[in-house]
Amino acid sequence: MSEILLFSAGLDSFPAWHYLGKPPILYFDSGHYGGQQEIDTVRVLAAAHGMDLEISSELDLSRRATPQGDLIPFRNVLFAMLAAFRADVIWCIGVKGDHTADKSPEAFARMSEMLTAFAGRSIRVDSPFWDMTKSEIVAWYLKAGLPVDDLLQTFSCATPGAAFTHCGRCPSCLRRWIALANNDIDTSGHFASPPWNWDRIRTYYLPTMARGVYPAHRVEEFHRAMATVGITRHDGPRTPREEQ
Ligand SMILES: [Zn+2]
């Protein structure tokens, strides 16, 4: 039974490579925004750790990409289809609470069923981290005695500036910072702008978290990280409209 890990160079997929026992990794150079920084990071990590890496350019999604770094609809389905040419078990990293249309336990079960039917052999699309949050994945990584410096070399920004710079003002950077802060990892100088100062924290995240839109574990980890920089759940906007 062959396996392959869809590798993004991010804060989840690098620990996943260790967690899964260092399987071959596959990166799709699909032309999405910020892709060059990802490719550079993938190459650096692969060279430093002796990863069995394939960078594929067989999928060009550049015409679907936006400067805002929006997710490309059902791209994980496309990735899984192409990965199924190579392996029977396709690891695509989703974490606890992920619920986009193409990244959830249910979505991966559907992909497995569809690909198995078309391939004529058993194909499994899965994530090892459905029961773990990003903070818990980082905690596992540290507990395994793996180096913090390697983890900080990973890349997870949707709208990067110069090479290897995390903007600190996008949802990916925010989630990255939360996971690092909740594990007492020093992020001084790691983000171009401190994620906790992003205006969306006060205008969107604090009021939205208060409304119960996010799962309880996301809310708890968000507030735990914010508390490390002195921001409480009462620091959101207090306009009359918000209080209705
Ligand atoms: Zn960012």
Side-chain angles (χ1 to χ4, degrees), residues 181-218:
N182 283 337
N183 283 283
D184 300 323
I185 294 175
D186 182 7
T187 58
S188 312
H190 191 68
F191 297 93
S193 171
W196 58 92
N197 285 344
W198 186 23
D199 49 7
R200 294 270 292 166
I201 299 294
R202 283 176 166 77
T203 61
Y204 173 77
Y205 286 98
L206 283 166
T208 308
M209 295 270 173
R211 279 204 297 273
V213 174
Y214 285 94
H217 67 268
R218 283 280 298 275

PDB file of all heavy atoms in Angstrom, residues 181-218:
ATOM      1  N   ALA A 181       1.630  31.024  19.733  1.00  0.00           N
ATOM      2  CA  ALA A 181       1.499  31.716  21.031  1.00  0.00           C
ATOM      3  C   ALA A 181       1.006  30.766  22.110  1.00  0.00           C
ATOM      4  O   ALA A 181       1.476  30.819  23.251  1.00  0.00           O
ATOM      5  CB  ALA A 181       0.544  32.902  20.889  1.00  0.00           C
ATOM      6  N   ASN A 182       0.090  29.878  21.759  1.00  0.00           N
ATOM      7  CA  ASN A 182      -0.444  28.950  22.758  1.00  0.00           C
ATOM      8  C   ASN A 182       0.566  27.882  23.165  1.00  0.00           C
ATOM      9  O   ASN A 182       0.327  27.108  24.090  1.00  0.00           O
ATOM     10  CB  ASN A 182      -1.720  28.278  22.232  1.00  0.00           C
ATOM     11  CG  ASN A 182      -2.915  29.210  22.320  1.00  0.00           C
ATOM     12  OD1 ASN A 182      -2.910  30.136  23.126  1.00  0.00           O
ATOM     13  ND2 ASN A 182      -3.926  28.976  21.502  1.00  0.00           N
ATOM     14  N   ASN A 183       1.691  27.835  22.466  1.00  0.00           N
ATOM     15  CA  ASN A 183       2.765  26.910  22.841  1.00  0.00           C
ATOM     16  C   ASN A 183       4.018  27.670  23.301  1.00  0.00           C
ATOM     17  O   ASN A 183       5.118  27.108  23.280  1.00  0.00           O
ATOM     18  CB  ASN A 183       3.079  25.984  21.659  1.00  0.00           C
ATOM     19  CG  ASN A 183       2.028  24.883  21.507  1.00  0.00           C
ATOM     20  OD1 ASN A 183       2.031  23.919  22.256  1.00  0.00           O
ATOM     21  ND2 ASN A 183       1.110  25.055  20.560  1.00  0.00           N
ATOM     22  N   ASP A 184       3.800  28.930  23.690  1.00  0.00           N
ATOM     23  CA  ASP A 184       4.883  29.750  24.257  1.00  0.00           C
ATOM     24  C   ASP A 184       6.077  29.890  23.330  1.00  0.00           C
ATOM     25  O   ASP A 184       7.220  29.989  23.780  1.00  0.00           O
ATOM     26  CB  ASP A 184       5.346  29.172  25.612  1.00  0.00           C
ATOM     27  CG  ASP A 184       4.223  29.122  26.627  1.00  0.00           C
ATOM     28  OD1 ASP A 184       3.403  30.063  26.633  1.00  0.00           O
ATOM     29  OD2 ASP A 184       4.153  28.136  27.387  1.00  0.00           O
ATOM     30  N   ILE A 185       5.819  29.894  22.022  1.00  0.00           N
ATOM     31  CA  ILE A 185       6.909  30.076  21.053  1.00  0.00           C
ATOM     32  C   ILE A 185       7.043  31.572  20.753  1.00  0.00           C
ATOM     33  O   ILE A 185       6.056  32.245  20.454  1.00  0.00           O
ATOM     34  CB  ILE A 185       6.637  29.274  19.765  1.00  0.00           C
ATOM     35  CG1 ILE A 185       6.686  27.768  20.092  1.00  0.00           C
ATOM     36  CG2 ILE A 185       7.657  29.630  18.676  1.00  0.00           C
ATOM     37  CD1 ILE A 185       6.309  26.878  18.928  1.00  0.00           C
ATOM     38  N   ASP A 186       8.257  32.061  20.870  1.00  0.00           N
ATOM     39  CA  ASP A 186       8.539  33.483  20.644  1.00  0.00           C
ATOM     40  C   ASP A 186       8.385  33.805  19.164  1.00  0.00           C
ATOM     41  O   ASP A 186       9.065  33.231  18.321  1.00  0.00           O
ATOM     42  CB  ASP A 186       9.963  33.788  21.120  1.00  0.00           C
ATOM     43  CG  ASP A 186      10.323  35.261  20.963  1.00  0.00           C
ATOM     44  OD1 ASP A 186       9.433  36.065  20.608  1.00  0.00           O
ATOM     45  OD2 ASP A 186      11.503  35.592  21.200  1.00  0.00           O
ATOM     46  N   THR A 187       7.475  34.742  18.834  1.00  0.00           N
ATOM     47  CA  THR A 187       7.247  35.099  17.431  1.00  0.00           C
ATOM     48  C   THR A 187       7.749  36.513  17.123  1.00  0.00           C
ATOM     49  O   THR A 187       7.332  37.115  16.134  1.00  0.00           O
ATOM     50  CB  THR A 187       5.745  34.995  17.072  1.00  0.00           C
ATOM     51  OG1 THR A 187       5.007  35.866  17.939  1.00  0.00           O
ATOM     52  CG2 THR A 187       5.231  33.588  17.196  1.00  0.00           C
ATOM     53  N   SER A 188       8.640  37.030  17.966  1.00  0.00           N
ATOM     54  CA  SER A 188       9.198  38.373  17.726  1.00  0.00           C
ATOM     55  C   SER A 188       9.837  38.415  16.336  1.00  0.00           C
ATOM     56  O   SER A 188      10.664  37.567  16.007  1.00  0.00           O
ATOM     57  CB  SER A 188      10.272  38.702  18.761  1.00  0.00           C
ATOM     58  OG  SER A 188       9.825  38.409  20.048  1.00  0.00           O
ATOM     59  N   GLY A 189       9.432  39.401  15.545  1.00  0.00           N
ATOM     60  CA  GLY A 189      10.019  39.570  14.223  1.00  0.00           C
ATOM     61  C   GLY A 189       9.546  38.569  13.184  1.00  0.00           C
ATOM     62  O   GLY A 189       9.995  38.591  12.043  1.00  0.00           O
ATOM     63  N   HIS A 190       8.645  37.662  13.576  1.00  0.00           N
ATOM     64  CA  HIS A 190       8.211  36.609  12.660  1.00  0.00           C
ATOM     65  C   HIS A 190       7.154  37.110  11.677  1.00  0.00           C
ATOM     66  O   HIS A 190       7.048  36.589  10.576  1.00  0.00           O
ATOM     67  CB  HIS A 190       7.672  35.437  13.477  1.00  0.00           C
ATOM     68  CG  HIS A 190       7.435  34.190  12.683  1.00  0.00           C
ATOM     69  ND1 HIS A 190       8.469  33.456  12.127  1.00  0.00           N
ATOM     70  CD2 HIS A 190       6.299  33.545  12.323  1.00  0.00           C
ATOM     71  CE1 HIS A 190       7.972  32.419  11.471  1.00  0.00           C
ATOM     72  NE2 HIS A 190       6.660  32.446  11.571  1.00  0.00           N
ATOM     73  N   PHE A 191       6.372  38.095  12.098  1.00  0.00           N
ATOM     74  CA  PHE A 191       5.308  38.635  11.252  1.00  0.00           C
ATOM     75  C   PHE A 191       5.624  40.089  10.893  1.00  0.00           C
ATOM     76  O   PHE A 191       6.095  40.849  11.740  1.00  0.00           O
ATOM     77  CB  PHE A 191       3.960  38.578  11.979  1.00  0.00           C
ATOM     78  CG  PHE A 191       3.502  37.176  12.302  1.00  0.00           C
ATOM     79  CD1 PHE A 191       3.795  36.605  13.536  1.00  0.00           C
ATOM     80  CD2 PHE A 191       2.794  36.428  11.368  1.00  0.00           C
ATOM     81  CE1 PHE A 191       3.386  35.308  13.835  1.00  0.00           C
ATOM     82  CE2 PHE A 191       2.386  35.132  11.661  1.00  0.00           C
ATOM     83  CZ  PHE A 191       2.681  34.572  12.896  1.00  0.00           C
ATOM     84  N   ALA A 192       5.324  40.474   9.653  1.00  0.00           N
ATOM     85  CA  ALA A 192       5.584  41.849   9.221  1.00  0.00           C
ATOM     86  C   ALA A 192       4.785  42.827  10.076  1.00  0.00           C
ATOM     87  O   ALA A 192       5.240  43.937  10.380  1.00  0.00           O
ATOM     88  CB  ALA A 192       5.225  42.016   7.748  1.00  0.00           C
ATOM     89  N   SER A 193       3.592  42.415  10.489  1.00  0.00           N
ATOM     90  CA  SER A 193       2.745  43.211  11.365  1.00  0.00           C
ATOM     91  C   SER A 193       2.187  42.257  12.427  1.00  0.00           C
ATOM     92  O   SER A 193       1.795  41.142  12.095  1.00  0.00           O
ATOM     93  CB  SER A 193       1.613  43.827  10.534  1.00  0.00           C
ATOM     94  OG  SER A 193       0.664  44.423  11.372  1.00  0.00           O
ATOM     95  N   PRO A 194       2.173  42.669  13.716  1.00  0.00           N
ATOM     96  CA  PRO A 194       1.689  41.749  14.754  1.00  0.00           C
ATOM     97  C   PRO A 194       0.246  41.303  14.482  1.00  0.00           C
ATOM     98  O   PRO A 194      -0.642  42.167  14.369  1.00  0.00           O
ATOM     99  CB  PRO A 194       1.767  42.582  16.035  1.00  0.00           C
ATOM    100  CG  PRO A 194       2.721  43.675  15.736  1.00  0.00           C
ATOM    101  CD  PRO A 194       2.578  43.970  14.266  1.00  0.00           C
ATOM    102  N   PRO A 195      -0.017  40.001  14.374  1.00  0.00           N
ATOM    103  CA  PRO A 195      -1.369  39.529  14.044  1.00  0.00           C
ATOM    104  C   PRO A 195      -2.438  40.018  15.022  1.00  0.00           C
ATOM    105  O   PRO A 195      -3.572  40.243  14.623  1.00  0.00           O
ATOM    106  CB  PRO A 195      -1.237  38.002  14.099  1.00  0.00           C
ATOM    107  CG  PRO A 195       0.202  37.746  13.830  1.00  0.00           C
ATOM    108  CD  PRO A 195       0.954  38.889  14.449  1.00  0.00           C
ATOM    109  N   TRP A 196      -2.063  40.189  16.312  1.00  0.00           N
ATOM    110  CA  TRP A 196      -3.068  40.621  17.299  1.00  0.00           C
ATOM    111  C   TRP A 196      -3.453  42.081  17.114  1.00  0.00           C
ATOM    112  O   TRP A 196      -4.416  42.531  17.687  1.00  0.00           O
ATOM    113  CB  TRP A 196      -2.569  40.359  18.722  1.00  0.00           C
ATOM    114  CG  TRP A 196      -1.278  41.031  19.053  1.00  0.00           C
ATOM    115  CD1 TRP A 196      -1.124  42.252  19.622  1.00  0.00           C
ATOM    116  CD2 TRP A 196       0.041  40.527  18.832  1.00  0.00           C
ATOM    117  NE1 TRP A 196       0.210  42.546  19.764  1.00  0.00           N
ATOM    118  CE2 TRP A 196       0.956  41.503  19.297  1.00  0.00           C
ATOM    119  CE3 TRP A 196       0.551  39.332  18.293  1.00  0.00           C
ATOM    120  CZ2 TRP A 196       2.346  41.331  19.222  1.00  0.00           C
ATOM    121  CZ3 TRP A 196       1.933  39.156  18.227  1.00  0.00           C
ATOM    122  CH2 TRP A 196       2.804  40.146  18.682  1.00  0.00           C
ATOM    123  N   ASN A 197      -2.690  42.839  16.313  1.00  0.00           N
ATOM    124  CA  ASN A 197      -3.052  44.231  16.014  1.00  0.00           C
ATOM    125  C   ASN A 197      -3.837  44.381  14.716  1.00  0.00           C
ATOM    126  O   ASN A 197      -4.194  45.496  14.331  1.00  0.00           O
ATOM    127  CB  ASN A 197      -1.792  45.113  15.920  1.00  0.00           C
ATOM    128  CG  ASN A 197      -1.212  45.410  17.286  1.00  0.00           C
ATOM    129  OD1 ASN A 197      -1.892  45.230  18.305  1.00  0.00           O
ATOM    130  ND2 ASN A 197       0.034  45.835  17.328  1.00  0.00           N
ATOM    131  N   TRP A 198      -4.064  43.264  14.035  1.00  0.00           N
ATOM    132  CA  TRP A 198      -4.835  43.306  12.790  1.00  0.00           C
ATOM    133  C   TRP A 198      -6.222  43.894  13.097  1.00  0.00           C
ATOM    134  O   TRP A 198      -6.869  43.465  14.060  1.00  0.00           O
ATOM    135  CB  TRP A 198      -4.958  41.875  12.240  1.00  0.00           C
ATOM    136  CG  TRP A 198      -5.604  41.734  10.904  1.00  0.00           C
ATOM    137  CD1 TRP A 198      -5.714  42.680   9.934  1.00  0.00           C
ATOM    138  CD2 TRP A 198      -6.229  40.549  10.383  1.00  0.00           C
ATOM    139  NE1 TRP A 198      -6.359  42.150   8.828  1.00  0.00           N
ATOM    140  CE2 TRP A 198      -6.692  40.860   9.084  1.00  0.00           C
ATOM    141  CE3 TRP A 198      -6.444  39.268  10.898  1.00  0.00           C
ATOM    142  CZ2 TRP A 198      -7.368  39.921   8.289  1.00  0.00           C
ATOM    143  CZ3 TRP A 198      -7.099  38.337  10.113  1.00  0.00           C
ATOM    144  CH2 TRP A 198      -7.552  38.670   8.806  1.00  0.00           C
ATOM    145  N   ASP A 199      -6.681  44.871  12.299  1.00  0.00           N
ATOM    146  CA  ASP A 199      -7.958  45.523  12.640  1.00  0.00           C
ATOM    147  C   ASP A 199      -9.138  44.543  12.642  1.00  0.00           C
ATOM    148  O   ASP A 199     -10.128  44.748  13.328  1.00  0.00           O
ATOM    149  CB  ASP A 199      -8.233  46.729  11.722  1.00  0.00           C
ATOM    150  CG  ASP A 199      -8.055  46.410  10.250  1.00  0.00           C
ATOM    151  OD1 ASP A 199      -7.848  45.221   9.924  1.00  0.00           O
ATOM    152  OD2 ASP A 199      -8.139  47.340   9.430  1.00  0.00           O
ATOM    153  N   ARG A 200      -9.011  43.450  11.905  1.00  0.00           N
ATOM    154  CA  ARG A 200     -10.098  42.462  11.871  1.00  0.00           C
ATOM    155  C   ARG A 200     -10.311  41.766  13.228  1.00  0.00           C
ATOM    156  O   ARG A 200     -11.379  41.192  13.467  1.00  0.00           O
ATOM    157  CB  ARG A 200      -9.811  41.381  10.814  1.00  0.00           C
ATOM    158  CG  ARG A 200      -9.820  41.918   9.384  1.00  0.00           C
ATOM    159  CD  ARG A 200     -11.189  41.839   8.755  1.00  0.00           C
ATOM    160  NE  ARG A 200     -11.613  40.468   8.510  1.00  0.00           N
ATOM    161  CZ  ARG A 200     -12.860  40.105   8.216  1.00  0.00           C
ATOM    162  NH1 ARG A 200     -13.798  41.030   8.155  1.00  0.00           N
ATOM    163  NH2 ARG A 200     -13.171  38.847   7.983  1.00  0.00           N
ATOM    164  N   ILE A 201      -9.294  41.810  14.085  1.00  0.00           N
ATOM    165  CA  ILE A 201      -9.470  41.207  15.414  1.00  0.00           C
ATOM    166  C   ILE A 201     -10.652  41.873  16.118  1.00  0.00           C
ATOM    167  O   ILE A 201     -11.556  41.210  16.615  1.00  0.00           O
ATOM    168  CB  ILE A 201      -8.190  41.372  16.274  1.00  0.00           C
ATOM    169  CG1 ILE A 201      -6.997  40.672  15.619  1.00  0.00           C
ATOM    170  CG2 ILE A 201      -8.424  40.852  17.699  1.00  0.00           C
ATOM    171  CD1 ILE A 201      -7.086  39.189  15.525  1.00  0.00           C
ATOM    172  N   ARG A 202     -10.624  43.224  16.145  1.00  0.00           N
ATOM    173  CA  ARG A 202     -11.674  43.952  16.865  1.00  0.00           C
ATOM    174  C   ARG A 202     -12.955  44.112  16.063  1.00  0.00           C
ATOM    175  O   ARG A 202     -14.045  44.100  16.621  1.00  0.00           O
ATOM    176  CB  ARG A 202     -11.141  45.307  17.315  1.00  0.00           C
ATOM    177  CG  ARG A 202     -10.231  45.205  18.531  1.00  0.00           C
ATOM    178  CD  ARG A 202      -9.622  46.544  18.904  1.00  0.00           C
ATOM    179  NE  ARG A 202      -9.023  46.511  20.246  1.00  0.00           N
ATOM    180  CZ  ARG A 202      -7.849  45.950  20.522  1.00  0.00           C
ATOM    181  NH1 ARG A 202      -7.156  45.360  19.574  1.00  0.00           N
ATOM    182  NH2 ARG A 202      -7.371  45.950  21.763  1.00  0.00           N
ATOM    183  N   THR A 203     -12.797  44.274  14.737  1.00  0.00           N
ATOM    184  CA  THR A 203     -14.011  44.530  13.942  1.00  0.00           C
ATOM    185  C   THR A 203     -14.742  43.241  13.582  1.00  0.00           C
ATOM    186  O   THR A 203     -15.940  43.265  13.328  1.00  0.00           O
ATOM    187  CB  THR A 203     -13.670  45.267  12.637  1.00  0.00           C
ATOM    188  OG1 THR A 203     -12.786  44.463  11.858  1.00  0.00           O
ATOM    189  CG2 THR A 203     -13.034  46.611  12.902  1.00  0.00           C
ATOM    190  N   TYR A 204     -14.045  42.109  13.548  1.00  0.00           N
ATOM    191  CA  TYR A 204     -14.703  40.871  13.128  1.00  0.00           C
ATOM    192  C   TYR A 204     -14.579  39.730  14.151  1.00  0.00           C
ATOM    193  O   TYR A 204     -15.581  39.209  14.620  1.00  0.00           O
ATOM    194  CB  TYR A 204     -14.149  40.419  11.764  1.00  0.00           C
ATOM    195  CG  TYR A 204     -14.664  39.059  11.353  1.00  0.00           C
ATOM    196  CD1 TYR A 204     -15.957  38.903  10.858  1.00  0.00           C
ATOM    197  CD2 TYR A 204     -13.873  37.924  11.501  1.00  0.00           C
ATOM    198  CE1 TYR A 204     -16.445  37.658  10.524  1.00  0.00           C
ATOM    199  CE2 TYR A 204     -14.356  36.672  11.163  1.00  0.00           C
ATOM    200  CZ  TYR A 204     -15.640  36.538  10.673  1.00  0.00           C
ATOM    201  OH  TYR A 204     -16.119  35.299  10.349  1.00  0.00           O
ATOM    202  N   TYR A 205     -13.324  39.372  14.487  1.00  0.00           N
ATOM    203  CA  TYR A 205     -13.153  38.131  15.250  1.00  0.00           C
ATOM    204  C   TYR A 205     -13.756  38.199  16.648  1.00  0.00           C
ATOM    205  O   TYR A 205     -14.479  37.282  17.062  1.00  0.00           O
ATOM    206  CB  TYR A 205     -11.678  37.722  15.316  1.00  0.00           C
ATOM    207  CG  TYR A 205     -11.189  37.163  14.001  1.00  0.00           C
ATOM    208  CD1 TYR A 205     -10.493  37.947  13.094  1.00  0.00           C
ATOM    209  CD2 TYR A 205     -11.465  35.838  13.636  1.00  0.00           C
ATOM    210  CE1 TYR A 205     -10.064  37.443  11.865  1.00  0.00           C
ATOM    211  CE2 TYR A 205     -11.044  35.320  12.423  1.00  0.00           C
ATOM    212  CZ  TYR A 205     -10.348  36.133  11.542  1.00  0.00           C
ATOM    213  OH  TYR A 205      -9.949  35.624  10.334  1.00  0.00           O
ATOM    214  N   LEU A 206     -13.460  39.294  17.403  1.00  0.00           N
ATOM    215  CA  LEU A 206     -13.997  39.359  18.770  1.00  0.00           C
ATOM    216  C   LEU A 206     -15.524  39.310  18.775  1.00  0.00           C
ATOM    217  O   LEU A 206     -16.112  38.478  19.485  1.00  0.00           O
ATOM    218  CB  LEU A 206     -13.468  40.594  19.499  1.00  0.00           C
ATOM    219  CG  LEU A 206     -12.010  40.467  20.001  1.00  0.00           C
ATOM    220  CD1 LEU A 206     -11.460  41.833  20.404  1.00  0.00           C
ATOM    221  CD2 LEU A 206     -11.918  39.505  21.181  1.00  0.00           C
ATOM    222  N   PRO A 207     -16.222  40.169  17.965  1.00  0.00           N
ATOM    223  CA  PRO A 207     -17.692  40.078  17.980  1.00  0.00           C
ATOM    224  C   PRO A 207     -18.229  38.757  17.415  1.00  0.00           C
ATOM    225  O   PRO A 207     -19.220  38.226  17.926  1.00  0.00           O
ATOM    226  CB  PRO A 207     -18.139  41.271  17.128  1.00  0.00           C
ATOM    227  CG  PRO A 207     -16.930  41.774  16.420  1.00  0.00           C
ATOM    228  CD  PRO A 207     -15.748  41.359  17.213  1.00  0.00           C
ATOM    229  N   THR A 208     -17.559  38.215  16.399  1.00  0.00           N
ATOM    230  CA  THR A 208     -18.062  36.966  15.810  1.00  0.00           C
ATOM    231  C   THR A 208     -17.870  35.796  16.770  1.00  0.00           C
ATOM    232  O   THR A 208     -18.734  34.922  16.895  1.00  0.00           O
ATOM    233  CB  THR A 208     -17.360  36.690  14.468  1.00  0.00           C
ATOM    234  OG1 THR A 208     -17.469  37.850  13.648  1.00  0.00           O
ATOM    235  CG2 THR A 208     -18.010  35.512  13.745  1.00  0.00           C
ATOM    236  N   MET A 209     -16.724  35.775  17.455  1.00  0.00           N
ATOM    237  CA  MET A 209     -16.487  34.720  18.455  1.00  0.00           C
ATOM    238  C   MET A 209     -17.552  34.822  19.550  1.00  0.00           C
ATOM    239  O   MET A 209     -18.067  33.819  20.035  1.00  0.00           O
ATOM    240  CB  MET A 209     -15.092  34.883  19.076  1.00  0.00           C
ATOM    241  CG  MET A 209     -13.935  34.672  18.117  1.00  0.00           C
ATOM    242  SD  MET A 209     -13.388  32.960  18.045  1.00  0.00           S
ATOM    243  CE  MET A 209     -12.191  33.013  16.692  1.00  0.00           C
ATOM    244  N   ALA A 210     -17.901  36.062  19.925  1.00  0.00           N
ATOM    245  CA  ALA A 210     -18.893  36.261  20.993  1.00  0.00           C
ATOM    246  C   ALA A 210     -20.280  35.776  20.574  1.00  0.00           C
ATOM    247  O   ALA A 210     -21.089  35.397  21.418  1.00  0.00           O
ATOM    248  CB  ALA A 210     -18.940  37.740  21.379  1.00  0.00           C
ATOM    249  N   ARG A 211     -20.536  35.783  19.273  1.00  0.00           N
ATOM    250  CA  ARG A 211     -21.868  35.359  18.792  1.00  0.00           C
ATOM    251  C   ARG A 211     -22.001  33.843  18.689  1.00  0.00           C
ATOM    252  O   ARG A 211     -23.056  33.330  18.320  1.00  0.00           O
ATOM    253  CB  ARG A 211     -22.149  35.981  17.414  1.00  0.00           C
ATOM    254  CG  ARG A 211     -22.635  37.420  17.491  1.00  0.00           C
ATOM    255  CD  ARG A 211     -23.432  37.793  16.248  1.00  0.00           C
ATOM    256  NE  ARG A 211     -22.625  37.737  15.049  1.00  0.00           N
ATOM    257  CZ  ARG A 211     -21.882  38.749  14.595  1.00  0.00           C
ATOM    258  NH1 ARG A 211     -21.851  39.882  15.260  1.00  0.00           N
ATOM    259  NH2 ARG A 211     -21.171  38.630  13.491  1.00  0.00           N
ATOM    260  N   GLY A 212     -20.914  33.128  18.961  1.00  0.00           N
ATOM    261  CA  GLY A 212     -21.006  31.669  18.940  1.00  0.00           C
ATOM    262  C   GLY A 212     -20.965  31.056  17.555  1.00  0.00           C
ATOM    263  O   GLY A 212     -21.436  29.942  17.357  1.00  0.00           O
ATOM    264  N   VAL A 213     -20.405  31.772  16.588  1.00  0.00           N
ATOM    265  CA  VAL A 213     -20.327  31.248  15.223  1.00  0.00           C
ATOM    266  C   VAL A 213     -19.247  30.165  15.111  1.00  0.00           C
ATOM    267  O   VAL A 213     -19.401  29.196  14.369  1.00  0.00           O
ATOM    268  CB  VAL A 213     -20.037  32.400  14.225  1.00  0.00           C
ATOM    269  CG1 VAL A 213     -19.799  31.870  12.822  1.00  0.00           C
ATOM    270  CG2 VAL A 213     -21.183  33.409  14.244  1.00  0.00           C
ATOM    271  N   TYR A 214     -18.170  30.347  15.886  1.00  0.00           N
ATOM    272  CA  TYR A 214     -17.042  29.409  15.801  1.00  0.00           C
ATOM    273  C   TYR A 214     -17.195  28.276  16.816  1.00  0.00           C
ATOM    274  O   TYR A 214     -17.804  28.463  17.861  1.00  0.00           O
ATOM    275  CB  TYR A 214     -15.722  30.144  16.062  1.00  0.00           C
ATOM    276  CG  TYR A 214     -15.264  30.995  14.898  1.00  0.00           C
ATOM    277  CD1 TYR A 214     -15.578  32.341  14.832  1.00  0.00           C
ATOM    278  CD2 TYR A 214     -14.517  30.435  13.864  1.00  0.00           C
ATOM    279  CE1 TYR A 214     -15.149  33.116  13.754  1.00  0.00           C
ATOM    280  CE2 TYR A 214     -14.097  31.204  12.789  1.00  0.00           C
ATOM    281  CZ  TYR A 214     -14.419  32.541  12.740  1.00  0.00           C
ATOM    282  OH  TYR A 214     -14.010  33.302  11.679  1.00  0.00           O
ATOM    283  N   PRO A 215     -16.595  27.108  16.525  1.00  0.00           N
ATOM    284  CA  PRO A 215     -16.637  26.023  17.502  1.00  0.00           C
ATOM    285  C   PRO A 215     -15.933  26.433  18.801  1.00  0.00           C
ATOM    286  O   PRO A 215     -15.018  27.264  18.783  1.00  0.00           O
ATOM    287  CB  PRO A 215     -15.872  24.873  16.825  1.00  0.00           C
ATOM    288  CG  PRO A 215     -15.542  25.300  15.447  1.00  0.00           C
ATOM    289  CD  PRO A 215     -15.870  26.754  15.293  1.00  0.00           C
ATOM    290  N   ALA A 216     -16.367  25.825  19.912  1.00  0.00           N
ATOM    291  CA  ALA A 216     -15.872  26.217  21.237  1.00  0.00           C
ATOM    292  C   ALA A 216     -14.347  26.118  21.338  1.00  0.00           C
ATOM    293  O   ALA A 216     -13.706  26.980  21.938  1.00  0.00           O
ATOM    294  CB  ALA A 216     -16.527  25.347  22.307  1.00  0.00           C
ATOM    295  N   HIS A 217     -13.744  25.090  20.720  1.00  0.00           N
ATOM    296  CA  HIS A 217     -12.296  24.948  20.859  1.00  0.00           C
ATOM    297  C   HIS A 217     -11.557  26.067  20.133  1.00  0.00           C
ATOM    298  O   HIS A 217     -10.511  26.532  20.578  1.00  0.00           O
ATOM    299  CB  HIS A 217     -11.819  23.573  20.366  1.00  0.00           C
ATOM    300  CG  HIS A 217     -11.979  23.350  18.894  1.00  0.00           C
ATOM    301  ND1 HIS A 217     -13.092  22.774  18.333  1.00  0.00           N
ATOM    302  CD2 HIS A 217     -11.167  23.648  17.857  1.00  0.00           C
ATOM    303  CE1 HIS A 217     -12.951  22.723  17.023  1.00  0.00           C
ATOM    304  NE2 HIS A 217     -11.798  23.243  16.697  1.00  0.00           N
ATOM    305  N   ARG A 218     -12.133  26.563  19.001  1.00  0.00           N
ATOM    306  CA  ARG A 218     -11.504  27.687  18.278  1.00  0.00           C
ATOM    307  C   ARG A 218     -11.571  28.955  19.126  1.00  0.00           C
ATOM    308  O   ARG A 218     -10.619  29.722  19.194  1.00  0.00           O
ATOM    309  CB  ARG A 218     -12.217  27.939  16.941  1.00  0.00           C
ATOM    310  CG  ARG A 218     -11.887  26.969  15.828  1.00  0.00           C
ATOM    311  CD  ARG A 218     -10.564  27.269  15.131  1.00  0.00           C
ATOM    312  NE  ARG A 218     -10.488  28.566  14.467  1.00  0.00           N
ATOM    313  CZ  ARG A 218     -10.916  28.834  13.248  1.00  0.00           C
ATOM    314  NH1 ARG A 218     -11.466  27.882  12.530  1.00  0.00           N
ATOM    315  NH2 ARG A 218     -10.788  30.033  12.715  1.00  0.00           N
TER     316      ARG A 218
END
